[in-house]
Amino acid sequence: MHRRRHYIYPDLDTLAAAFVCELSRFLSETASLKRTVHVALSGGTTPLEVFRQLARATRPGEWNHVYLYWGDERCVPAGDPESNYGSARKYFLKPLKISAKQIHPIRGGRDPAREASRYSRLLTDRLPVEDGFPVFDWIWLGLGEDGHTASIFPGQIELWKSDQPCVVTQHPVTGQRRISITGGVVNAARRVAFLVAGKSKSRVVNEIVMKEGRYMDYPAFYAAPVSGNVEWFLDMDATSWL
Ligand code: 6PG
């Protein structure tokens, strides 16, 4: 039985600072245990403030035991402003000079179907596997105003339930093709964190937390890792309906 823990902060800056603090604890704990860890980053705009702050607050050496992946990607080349990898590279990977061998982006510019199967293979080759799904130490996720997470959108629950680690999806409004991890990967993770900020998210946060309205249509509602370890980092605006 998973128990969502909610942490609420006055604004995105304080949310990001608290998350970076938690991340520093995770980095030092896992380094002291001499553990190699695998972390999947979220996309979109909310993590950008986290990336900026961690580039200032952490040192390159603290990341030597960390391998980085993405929970989803837009099907655009890395140089495109829409690229999740491109944003992380700009605000965090380059400033911290994280070595390329530790960074495993989804190649958004490649053929989506082939890239989804390549990335599925990469994850099952590199990470421990349980019940056919790769096990991340930590997955960071965002939440869309429509209740999507990673790049699985409402009305795509069959993709969330896929037996594949990664699938090709499509943004229901823009039509943009995406590559996304599936629910099996999210729910196999040792730890999942949602980073959610802004008033535009408050209605869907309320529906998911209170199990009201269309919550059953929201892929984010089904993020329930068997580890029981799921945390929601929210700002006041995102909880204004609660
Ligand atoms: C993406 C994401 C997506 C994102 C939400 C929230 O590639 O868009 O991974 O799941 O986290 O859409 O996006 P914002 O943080 O920009 O509101």
Side-chain angles (χ1 to χ4, degrees), residues 41-47 71-74 82 84 141-146 148-153 171 176 178 195 197 200-201:
L41 306 177
S42 56
T45 54
T46 307
D72 67 322
E73 185 60 276
R74 294 90 181 266
E82 283 269 301
N84 289 335
L141 292 172
L143 176 70
E145 297 167 28
D146 60 359
H148 81 260
T149 192
S151 275
I152 311 260
F153 296 88
H171 192 292
Q176 185 185 53
R178 304 275 186 104
L195 304 170
S200 66
K201 309 292 171 73

Side-chain angles (χ1 to χ4, degrees), residues 150-226:
S151 275
I152 311 260
F153 296 88
Q156 298 176 349
I157 297 293
E158 84 291 344
L159 291 174
W160 177 267
K161 295 179 180 162
S162 164
D163 61 2
Q164 294 302 307
C166 298
V167 290
V168 177
T169 74
Q170 191 160 25
H171 192 292
V173 178
T174 66
Q176 185 185 53
R177 305 284 289 283
R178 304 275 186 104
I179 293 167
S180 182
I181 58 173
T182 58
V185 178
V186 172
N187 292 336
R190 296 208 172 86
R191 186 175 184 181
V192 170
F194 277 90
L195 304 170
V196 183
K199 247 190 184 24
S200 66
K201 309 292 171 73
S202 53
R203 179 187 53 75
V204 73
V205 166
N206 181 64
E207 289 182 52
I208 289 173
V209 172
M210 308 307 278
K211 293 189 179 176
E212 287 174 1
R214 296 183 45 226
Y215 72 98
M216 299 280 281
D217 297 341
Y218 304 149
F221 173 74
Y222 300 97
V226 286

